[in-house]
Amino acid sequence: MTVVTKLSAAAFALAAAAVFAQPAQAAERTKFEFWYGLTGDLEQRVQDTCKRFNDSQADFEAVCVGQGGYPNAVQNAIAAYRAQKQPTVVQVFDAGTLDLMLSGAYVPARKLMANNGYDIKWDDYFPGIANYYATSKGELMSFPYNSSTALFYWNKDAFAKIGRDKGPETWEEVEQISRQLKAAGYDCPLAFNFDPWPTLEQFSAIHNQPIASKSNGYDGLDAELVFNKTKFVDHVAFIKKMYDEGLFVLKTKEGGQDVVPAFASGTCQMTQSSVADHGTIGKLAAPDMHWDVVKLPVWAGTERKNSLVGGASLWVLAGKSETEYKGAAAFLNFLAQPSSAEWWSTVTGYIPVTNSGFQAMKAAGFYDKAPYKGRELAIESLTYTPTTPISRGIRLGGYIQIRKEVQDALQAIIAGKVSVQDGLDQAVERGNVILRRFEKTYAGKQLL
């Protein structure tokens, strides 16, 4: 018995040694889903982001799933939440902010990070960015992610042929330059489309013109649209006049070429678009094409205000497990690091959302390099003045649908189917119906 016992003990020891000699099995990662709306080249950059996060640590795996566009991301996430199949994180563009905020279907950003032991410097976010996604008291509900604003792109080579060496500061200059370019043989001095984001929203912010009453909706769900009674009416009339004279040329995807490829190809010599397109234009433009950006023009005599943030923020949805929330918090903390901000800005054109990220990039000489020079103007535009009750953002329900009404109105105006005033009046009337429907849906709810 003693021999057997000794042999058994020895065998056990050998077996145990063999087990511990085997390579350690990696603990299974906690997976969480991140749904996003970016498409095209930017979609690949999101996938690269997820891979960078997954490769940076061994505890969590972000499963990143494209939704084929911003509106789809919002609608699909809402439908999934109702079916209790929601992702942990969803990318929601600016127009969907109030819809998410009043839904209650999310974990506030500050609560998520505090619960998971992260000390975030919330005042490090640029106010012009944070205010769009924050309560009236300044508390962020979601995380600014792919942030942008609009800039004015101009072709330096074409400008040189008419004796100009800088971009326009006013719309009066834009008109003069357009006429000079036309006379010099350029068929498309300026490319434009029906996108309300630069045409209505950015224009209204920098001119301190309201889009809706109640401080653009921040002061109550009973806000009404008023952009048919502001300087925007005269601005649309100007665009229509310039279009009729062949000085502004309509460029849309439906027509075969949108404003960005029209400018990058040298077909058109000026346009206004997102700073996020800075990288795209750099890739598409011919190597010998020289171009630059300036802040959006204002009408002469205007006391310029800050422009609006565009892009999207990341919302963490309610109803997920604590381990998934730990993963989401780690992911959001990873994105907040200055190194992540610099990488993201490098490969996309989007701007850093924190002052520390921006300062780190400046110190590293990021904005001194030819491919990226000019992108700092987006920060300058967003922080040009402290935000006013009008220039801090838009807090309107159903704004995705309201944008479509504005787009349809602009299209009808340019096509000559309706006068400028009638077209904008009709857009406001239809938009207010959307607002009243939204107000009824959330009756009794108070804005945060």
Side-chain angles (χ1 to χ4, degrees), residues 16-296:
V19 169
F20 287 111
Q22 296 297 318
Q25 294 294 319
E28 186 175 351
R29 291 184 172 197
T30 296
K31 295 183 179 181
F32 64 92
E33 284 195 340
F34 165 37
W35 289 7
Y36 60 86
L38 290 172
T39 58
D41 181 65
L42 293 175
E43 176 171 15
Q44 185 55 54
R45 304 291 79 79
V46 175
Q47 289 291 340
D48 292 343
T49 298
C50 295
K51 184 177 187 304
R52 292 178 72 247
F53 169 72
N54 291 338
D55 291 347
S56 72
Q57 44 71 53
D59 296 325
F60 309 105
E61 180 181 346
V63 179
C64 302
V65 185
Q67 302 299 306
Y70 278 147
N72 290 347
V74 176
Q75 293 161 9
N76 294 349
I78 291 173
Y81 182 81
R82 289 169 179 164
Q84 298 184 342
K85 296 180 179 179
Q86 70 272 26
T88 307
V89 183
V90 62
Q91 180 190 35
V92 177
F93 67 145
D94 48 8
T97 298
L98 185 57
D99 300 64
L100 262 292
M101 189 173 284
L102 288 185
S103 72
Y106 63 92
V107 179
R110 190 182 296 266
K111 180 180 179 181
L112 174 84
M113 302 310 278
N115 286 352
N116 289 282
Y118 293 98
D119 183 18
I120 305 296
K121 295 179 180 178
W122 300 104
D123 58 357
D124 191 31
Y125 286 92
F126 286 114
I129 296 174
N131 285 342
Y132 211 116
Y133 308 115
T135 67
S136 59
K137 296 179 180 179
E139 183 177 342
L140 272 170
M141 294 289 101
S142 59
F143 284 82
Y145 177 46
N146 53 306
S147 292
S148 64
T149 197
L151 293 176
F152 193 88
Y153 292 78
W154 59 287
N155 187 316
K156 297 175 74 171
D157 300 323
F159 273 48
K161 290 185 179 180
I162 59 172
R164 291 181 177 265
D165 61 0
K166 65 178 185 177
E169 296 181 4
T170 67
W171 282 106
E172 286 87 349
E173 283 185 87
V174 172
E175 179 173 1
Q176 294 171 0
I177 293 167
S178 296
R179 295 189 184 282
Q180 290 177 306
L181 288 170
K182 192 75 170 182
Y186 292 98
D187 292 332
C188 178
L190 181 144
F192 78 102
N193 60 20
F194 304 123
D195 186 356
W197 183 67
T199 308
L200 168 63
E201 296 164 36
Q202 299 292 341
F203 173 87
S204 296
I206 63 177
H207 288 83
N208 208 33
Q209 297 290 292
I211 289 174
S213 64
K214 298 280 184 174
S215 300
N216 282 345
Y218 275 80
D219 295 340
L221 291 176
D222 55 341
E224 295 184 344
L225 298 170
V226 297
F227 58 78
N228 60 331
K229 302 174 183 177
T230 71
K231 289 181 181 179
F232 180 61
V233 179
D234 292 335
H235 187 60
V236 174
F238 166 72
I239 294 173
K240 169 64 171 167
K241 182 188 80 166
M242 297 293 281
Y243 169 77
D244 289 343
E245 293 184 33
L247 300 171
F248 288 6
V249 178
L250 182 62
K251 293 291 182 179
T252 64
K253 285 182 181 178
E254 295 75 15
Q257 187 182 50
D258 210 344
V259 295
V260 169
F263 176 80
S265 65
T267 302
C268 301
Q269 314 313 314
M270 298 181 287
T271 196
Q272 55 183 4
S273 192
S274 171
V275 65
D277 292 319
H278 196 280
T280 301
I281 291 172
K283 294 175 185 175
L284 295 178
D288 60 348
M289 176 180 165
H290 302 95
W291 56 278
D292 208 342
V293 290
V294 291
K295 294 191 295 293
L296 290 182

Side-chain angles (χ1 to χ4, degrees), residues 417-430:
K417 296 179 179 179
V418 65
S419 71
V420 171
Q421 190 63 63
D422 287 347
L424 296 181
D425 286 346
Q426 291 168 18
V428 163
E429 183 179 355
R430 292 192 295 266

Side-chain angles (χ1 to χ4, degrees), residues 356-384:
S356 61
F358 177 58
Q359 294 301 331
M361 290 168 65
K362 279 181 64 177
F366 179 87
Y367 296 106
D368 298 328
K369 302 170 186 175
Y372 318 120
K373 186 174 175 57
R375 295 185 190 180
E376 72 278 7
L377 288 178
I379 297 291
E380 182 180 326
S381 182
L382 281 168
T383 60
Y384 194 77

